Amino acid sequence: SAREAVARAWEVVHQGADLLDVGGESTRPGSDPVSPDEERARVEPVIRELVEGGYPIPISIDTTKADVARACLDAGARILNDVSALRDDPAMLDVAARSGAAVVLMHRLGTSKTMQVDPVYHDVVGEVSTFLTERVRVAIEGGIARERLLVDPGIGFGKTVEHNLALIGHLDRIAASAGVPVMLGASRKRFLGALLGNAASGERLEGSLAAVAAAAWQGAEVVRVHDVWETARLLR
């Protein structure tokens, strides 16, 4: 509920978060999309209430839909986190450019429904780097300043365990290619469960922290996590 979301938002501030990411549509493998109206109804009131209540850290809206992004940026979100790298909705590039918000461009192979069906790369680090570098170029040409951009290799978004590990191990190469900071979101993901003997989502803390440590070592500037308190302590 919105009440639970707002309460969680304040909790992560006290746990040491520097940013808050709010999303109203699951993008995990096999998930189904929701309508723009439903997604907006889930997230806009939460963002508006937080901003009007003096929320002390920047809020990111996690969406691929321009109408949702526009409403949430108008409500006070300052970051747009688009897992399609501004590709799913033709209007998103213009919304992002006009908003003045920071923008996260993520790599995703296929759609959420199909992305984990036998993903294949010849060189996953090279191909993801090339894609993200191209999306940075498109964003800049569309009016988004380079200093407003971040890239995300899309851990678990159309990747095997081996692909994910290769990307985490070469984040410095991805950042150098794209020319902007890297954000990594590996927290509690399925590949960590596989590495931990098929551990359930809530039993992947060690793997999540290991991924954050590796990402920080490779130069990632933002990590998107569930276990805020533990991650903040690790990074300190």
Side-chain angles (χ1 to χ4, degrees), residues 4 11 19 46-47 63 79 109 117 123 163 177 196 214 231 234:
E4 290 171 320
E11 182 182 31
L19 306 168
V46 173
I47 293 171
T63 186
I79 304 165
L109 186 67
V117 181
D123 170 13
H163 294 148
S177 175
L196 294 169
T231 303
L234 168 74

Side-chain angles (χ1 to χ4, degrees), residues 161-180:
V161 173
E162 290 74 20
H163 294 148
N164 292 324
L165 294 175
L167 290 167
I168 292 172
H170 293 89
L171 294 179
D172 55 343
R173 179 176 160 191
I174 294 169
S177 175
V180 300

Side-chain angles (χ1 to χ4, degrees), residues 5-128:
V6 168
R8 175 61 177 155
W10 284 102
E11 182 182 31
V12 300
V13 169
H14 298 311
Q15 291 177 343
D18 297 307
L19 306 168
L20 176 76
D21 194 43
V22 179
E25 178 182 71
S26 175
T27 52
R28 65 171 56 90
S31 59
D32 293 312
V34 300
S35 71
D37 288 345
E38 172 66 20
E39 186 180 343
R40 178 176 173 178
R42 294 176 180 182
V43 293
E44 184 185 359
V46 173
I47 293 171
R48 194 170 296 280
E49 180 174 343
L50 289 170
V51 171
E52 291 176 355
Y55 197 63
I57 61 175
I59 298 173
S60 162
I61 175 60
D62 183 347
T63 186
T64 61
K65 301 179 180 72
D67 287 346
V68 177
R70 186 183 296 108
C72 291
L73 291 167
D74 287 346
R78 293 167 54 190
I79 304 165
L80 170 61
N81 182 15
D82 186 341
V83 300
S84 77
L86 310 180
R87 294 180 303 158
D88 280 2
D89 189 329
M92 188 66 100
L93 177 58
D94 184 63
V95 169
R98 290 174 181 272
S99 71
V103 180
V104 182
L105 305 169
M106 196 194 80
H107 177 274
R108 181 190 68 194
L109 186 67
T111 66
S112 294
K113 192 73 175 173
T114 63
M115 62 190 178
Q116 286 302 106
V117 181
D118 192 28
V120 175
Y121 302 85
H122 296 293
D123 170 13
V124 66
V125 177
E127 290 172 47
V128 169

Side-chain angles (χ1 to χ4, degrees), residues 214-225:
W217 188 261
Q218 289 291 326
E221 294 197 24
V222 181
V223 287
R224 184 175 180 270
V225 304

Side-chain angles (χ1 to χ4, degrees), residues 116-200:
Q116 286 302 106
V117 181
D118 192 28
V120 175
Y121 302 85
H122 296 293
D123 170 13
V124 66
V125 177
E127 290 172 47
V128 169
S129 295
T130 297
F131 170 86
L132 292 173
T133 301
E134 171 63 12
R135 295 313 297 169
V136 167
R137 182 191 67 78
V138 169
I140 291 172
E141 290 182 356
I144 304 173
R146 181 179 292 274
E147 57 267 24
R148 288 167 49 198
L149 294 169
L150 301 90
V151 293
D152 180 343
I155 299 300
F157 284 78
K159 282 95 175 175
T160 64
V161 173
E162 290 74 20
H163 294 148
N164 292 324
L165 294 175
L167 290 167
I168 292 172
H170 293 89
L171 294 179
D172 55 343
R173 179 176 160 191
I174 294 169
S177 175
V180 300
V182 169
M183 181 178 92
L184 187 85
S187 178
R188 298 188 187 179
K189 289 194 172 176
R190 189 174 301 177
F191 83 104
L192 297 173
L195 292 169
L196 294 169
N198 296 318

